């Protein structure tokens, strides 16, 4: 099966390289059942990351692996932009009608605070580009998608842990772009229940890196997200020893925001489970007459506060973090902790790796690669 995996790089100062992109490719290649085609405009991502994934997959092949197995570790990488339909169409033309089995769409700007400052950029990139991609997929009869959504679709949820039945009421432009894309998929699958099928995966907070330390998150400039920022501080890539904590007046145990952190390898395995489910005999869509669209939380179901994360990273890195409480960040909500039972029950999803492992693997990646992939 040819599966598309989209990573989308854009403005150099936006942390765009999605932590999960390279890890999802790794999981796909591990099965040796998928041939990966990757689209990326390389303005802000790192081609060397794809090379490292291929290398890692190749190294892990068993002795005497077949030619086909070796070929499955190659990535057909296309340096083009999801916001440029002609470039994307050219890739689909290479494989022809029905030539691509499915798409894992992991391409979006993902910083809550940032989206409140540049909403138009977020709507263009996260919604218009998704719409254009779906139109091209439709043209080429590629009608399966696993979509990278986010817990931010819940806004400030009424109950914690959050079940998928919670009303979608995103608080930030970023979260609203995710709700819009989910809605487009839902409507598309309702319009053509026999033809289209899609699964949205609502990421909670991915963290960590592949245990080899060879691939990991490598945001350009100062990371917007907590864990990569703490890793950059410990390795001296950010010249600061004091973390600015965005508020400690939330209704949480220690007043700082609570998030549900899960290992990026567990998150990546969730994509494979979802993609496998989109086969003809998919069990979750028992009634073939109804729309084949579902959304699942991908989280551990265990919330950790900012201060608890700082403590865990202090232990993993040995770095003496200081912190200073400042005002709240626009778009932040008190607590996003998943109820993961639906994905566990219907996809067989599990996120067993604990926070200590996430911090250890993140530090293993960062300390081995202080400058990340080292590309400008
Ligand atoms: C975590 C907590 C901050 C930086 C992000 C993406 C979202 C989703 C999950 C994919 C918050 C606090 C942070 C700092 C701080 N990914 N913080 N000081 O915003 O929960 O969600 O990951 O879908 O798309 O935006 O993660 O790491 O930015 O923040 O106090 O310098 O750490 O306030 O409470 P977030 P984050």
């Amino acid at each position: 099966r040819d599966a598309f995996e989209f990573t989308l790089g854009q403005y150099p100062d936006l942390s765009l390289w999605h932590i999960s992109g390279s890890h999802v490719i790794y999981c796909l290649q591990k099965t040796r059942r998928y041939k990966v085609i990757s689209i990326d405009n390389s303005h802000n991502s790192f081609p060397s990351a794809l090379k490292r994934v291929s290398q890692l997959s190749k190294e892990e092949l068993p002795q005497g692996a077949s030619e086909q197995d070796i070929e499955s570790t190659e990535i057909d990488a296309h340096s083009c932009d999801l916001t440029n339909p002609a470039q994307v169409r050219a890739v689909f033309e290479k494989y022809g009608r029905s030539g691509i089995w499915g798409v894992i769409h992991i391409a979006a700007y993902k910083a809550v605070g940032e989206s409140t400052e540049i909403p138009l950029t977020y709507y263009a990139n996260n919604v218009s580009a998704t719409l254009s991609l779906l139109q091209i997929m439709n043209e080429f009869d590629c009608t399966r998608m696993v979509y990278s959504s986010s817990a931010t679709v819940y806004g400030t949820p009424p109950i914690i842990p959050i079940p998928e039945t919670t009303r979608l009421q995103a608080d930030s432009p970023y979260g609203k772009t995710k709700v819009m894309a989910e809605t487009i998929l839902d409507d598309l699958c309702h319009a053509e229940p026999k033809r289209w099928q899609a699964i949205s995966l609502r990421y909670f907070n991915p963290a960590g890196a592949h245990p080899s330390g060879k691939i990991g998150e490598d945001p350009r400039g100062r990371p917007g997200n907590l864990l990569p920022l703490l890793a950059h501080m410990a390795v001296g890539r950010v010249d600061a020893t004091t973390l600015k904590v965005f508020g400690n007046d939330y209704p949480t145990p220690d007043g700082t925001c609570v998030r549900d952190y899960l290992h990026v390898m567990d998150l990546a395995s969730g994509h494979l489970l979802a993609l496998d489910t989109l086969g003809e005999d998919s069990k979750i869509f028992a009634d073939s007459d109804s729309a084949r669209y579902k959304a699942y939380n991908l989280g551990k179901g265990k919330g950790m506060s900012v201060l608890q994360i700082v403590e865990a990273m202090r232990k993993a890195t040995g770095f003496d973090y200081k912190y200073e409480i400042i005002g709240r960040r626009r778009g932040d909500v008190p607590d996003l902790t998943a109820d993961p039972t639906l994905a566990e029950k219907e996809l067989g999803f599990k996120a067993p790796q604990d926070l200590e492992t996430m911090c250890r693997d993140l530090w293993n990646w960062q300390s081995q690669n202080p400058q990340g992939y080292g590309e400008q």
Side-chain angles (χ1 to χ4, degrees):
R1 287 168 169 174
D2 284 313
F4 249 173
E5 187 277 332
F6 289 92
T7 53
L8 186 70
Q10 294 282 327
Y11 299 115
D13 59 346
L14 288 175
S15 55
L16 287 194
W17 175 257
H18 209 296
I19 181 175
S20 48
S22 49
H23 293 83
V24 169
I25 294 180
Y26 171 80
C27 282
L28 287 170
Q29 293 192 328
K30 205 135 176 67
T31 67
R32 302 206 290 278
R33 286 186 283 113
Y34 290 101
K35 171 85 177 78
V36 175
I37 308 155
S38 176
I39 278 198
D40 194 324
N41 72 0
S42 303
H43 287 322
N44 187 46
S45 48
F46 304 100
S48 56
L50 296 183
K51 293 192 188 90
R52 287 202 193 184
V53 173
S54 271
Q55 190 49 39
L56 200 50
S57 304
K58 219 177 250 56
E59 285 163 6
E60 293 185 353
L61 285 175
Q63 282 295 330
S66 69
E67 261 316 297
Q68 188 183 351
D69 285 349
I70 294 168
E71 206 260 340
S72 75
T73 65
E74 295 307 319
I75 300 167
D76 181 8
H78 295 262
S79 178
C80 62
D81 197 317
L82 210 64
T83 57
N84 181 324
Q87 290 181 349
V88 177
R89 186 172 284 106
V91 181
F92 275 80
E93 272 155 4
K94 174 179 174 182
Y95 289 86
R97 173 171 289 283
S98 306
I100 292 170
W101 188 82
V103 169
I104 298 181
H105 179 19
I106 305 180
Y109 298 148
K110 64 179 182 84
V112 169
E114 190 170 65
S115 74
T116 62
E117 292 152 23
I118 47 174
L120 273 184
T121 306
Y122 269 70
Y123 284 113
N125 192 66
N126 294 7
V127 182
S128 311
T130 298
L131 196 51
S132 153
L133 167 63
L134 287 167
Q135 286 163 331
I136 295 167
M137 287 174 65
N138 201 42
E139 222 177 286
F140 285 85
D141 230 7
C142 174
T143 56
R144 295 181 190 88
M145 179 181 273
V146 172
Y147 175 66
S148 163
S149 186
S150 167
T152 44
V153 299
Y154 297 117
T156 305
I159 52 169
I160 297 289
I162 312 166
E164 287 83 351
T165 49
T166 304
R167 201 164 73 84
L168 304 189
Q169 46 184 16
D171 284 350
S172 67
Y174 164 69
K176 289 171 189 169
T177 66
K178 291 294 174 179
V179 174
M180 289 175 190
E182 282 202 25
T183 306
I184 292 167
L185 281 172
D186 193 4
D187 287 347
L188 181 55
C189 293
H190 270 88
E192 297 193 68
K194 298 273 187 220
R195 191 162 163 263
W196 271 91
Q197 44 184 324
I199 286 177
S200 288
L201 299 176
R202 293 172 183 164
Y203 294 12
F204 279 70
N205 285 54
H210 185 276
S212 68
K214 291 181 177 159
I215 55 176
E217 184 171 15
D218 186 17
R220 278 175 199 254
R222 187 186 178 86
N225 297 132
L226 179 62
L227 271 149
L229 174 60
L230 291 170
H232 279 212
M233 288 170 71
V235 82
R237 208 164 148 190
V238 161
D239 182 15
T241 55
T242 304
L243 172 78
K244 294 190 180 340
V245 174
F246 300 137
N248 68 344
D249 56 349
Y250 286 98
T252 59
D254 65 17
T256 64
C257 290
V258 169
R259 294 290 181 271
D260 182 336
Y261 297 89
L262 73 158
H263 199 292
V264 65
M265 290 304 294
D266 292 335
L267 179 91
S269 65
H271 291 71
L272 188 61
L273 291 167
L275 196 66
D276 283 345
T277 305
L278 294 182
E280 292 323 314
D281 52 354
S282 53
K283 303 172 289 298
I284 58 167
F285 301 124
D287 163 16
S288 63
D289 293 333
S290 59
R292 293 184 292 177
Y293 172 76
K294 283 200 114 170
Y296 293 96
N297 292 334
L298 290 193
K300 275 179 76 65
K302 183 176 169 47
M304 304 297 278
S305 76
V306 176
L307 297 186
Q308 285 176 300
I309 296 298
V310 173
E311 208 37 51
M313 280 297 278
R314 189 195 310 276
K315 285 203 186 85
T317 63
F319 187 76
D320 182 20
Y321 295 102
K322 310 270 187 295
Y323 66 83
E324 174 200 352
I325 307 291
I326 63 170
R328 293 181 172 190
R329 179 175 69 174
R330 275 175 75 185
D332 272 343
V333 297
D335 187 334
L336 287 173
T337 300
D339 171 351
T341 48
L342 189 65
E344 288 168 355
K345 178 166 155 273
E346 294 192 0
L347 299 180
F349 173 70
K350 295 216 175 334
Q353 302 188 77
D354 61 14
L355 181 64
E356 185 186 345
T357 308
M358 290 178 228
C359 293
R360 186 196 64 218
D361 290 345
L362 170 60
W363 182 235
N364 184 38
W365 147 255
Q366 199 70 77
S367 54
Q368 283 186 46
N369 306 273
Q371 293 311 315
Y373 291 104
E375 288 187 71
Q376 291 315 318

